[in-house]
Amino acid sequence: MERKRVRVPAAEQIEAGRLRSGVPAAGDLCVCKRDGRIVPFDGERIRRAIAAAFRAEAGLAGGEVLSAETGAEADRIAGDVAREVLNRAADGDRPGIESIQDLVERHLMAAGRHAVAKRYILYLEERRRVRLAPASR
């Protein structure tokens, strides 16, 4: 019996936040930074940002660990965002940082985590202000 080859989109080949063998490494996918630089996609940055928003909402300090359940939810949402980024890249899109941040917001909202999404948005706004502020001398 001959096996039929079926094309599986790269995003469907992600398992637990890591690419399975046979799929281009995450480093092969690049994103466009605000300053125009092209850098390798790093899904871990998405996971850290989402976890930080969950910690902020829970009133935890930066080094404190989320509960296992909340950590798993943050990881799931980060994986969903990474899959969507990879799907878009497979369609020829080079994601920009802002579009990835928009995806994070949408996925947090879709998960019913409105307060966490608000914390995430407030953090992004603070970072924007810091970027725009004249350098201290």
Side-chain angles (χ1 to χ4, degrees):
M1 179 175 195
E2 188 176 322
R3 283 192 149 171
K4 200 174 187 180
R5 292 182 69 107
V6 177
R7 183 182 176 279
V8 178
E12 291 179 18
Q13 297 183 30
I14 295 178
E15 187 173 276
R18 301 189 188 281
L19 296 175
R20 294 184 193 162
S21 60
V23 178
D28 292 342
L29 170 62
C30 292
V31 298
C32 184
K33 301 282 275 185
R34 284 180 188 82
D35 63 5
R37 287 180 298 132
I38 305 299
V39 299
F41 172 71
D42 183 0
E44 177 62 17
R45 292 185 72 145
I46 294 171
R47 190 198 64 72
R48 285 192 314 257
I50 291 172
F54 271 93
R55 274 195 300 280
E57 180 54 28
L60 300 174
E64 291 185 76
V65 178
L66 293 168
S67 71
E69 182 180 319
T70 303
E73 182 179 11
D75 288 348
R76 181 189 56 75
I77 293 169
D80 291 346
V81 172
R83 275 187 285 285
E84 188 164 343
V85 169
L86 291 172
N87 274 337
R88 290 178 177 202
D91 291 338
D93 180 36
R94 172 172 282 156
I97 296 302
E98 290 88 356
S99 67
I100 293 171
Q101 291 171 338
D102 290 346
L103 288 175
V104 170
E105 291 172 29
R106 271 189 251 133
H107 281 270
L108 286 168
M109 297 293 278
R113 294 305 212 140
H114 306 297
V116 176
K118 182 177 180 178
R119 292 286 186 161
Y120 181 76
I121 292 165
L122 291 172
Y123 170 77
L124 295 178
E125 177 58 24
E126 177 60 29
R127 294 297 308 146
R128 186 188 69 78
R129 284 188 197 130
V130 168
R131 278 192 308 277
L132 295 176
S136 302
R137 295 186 189 230

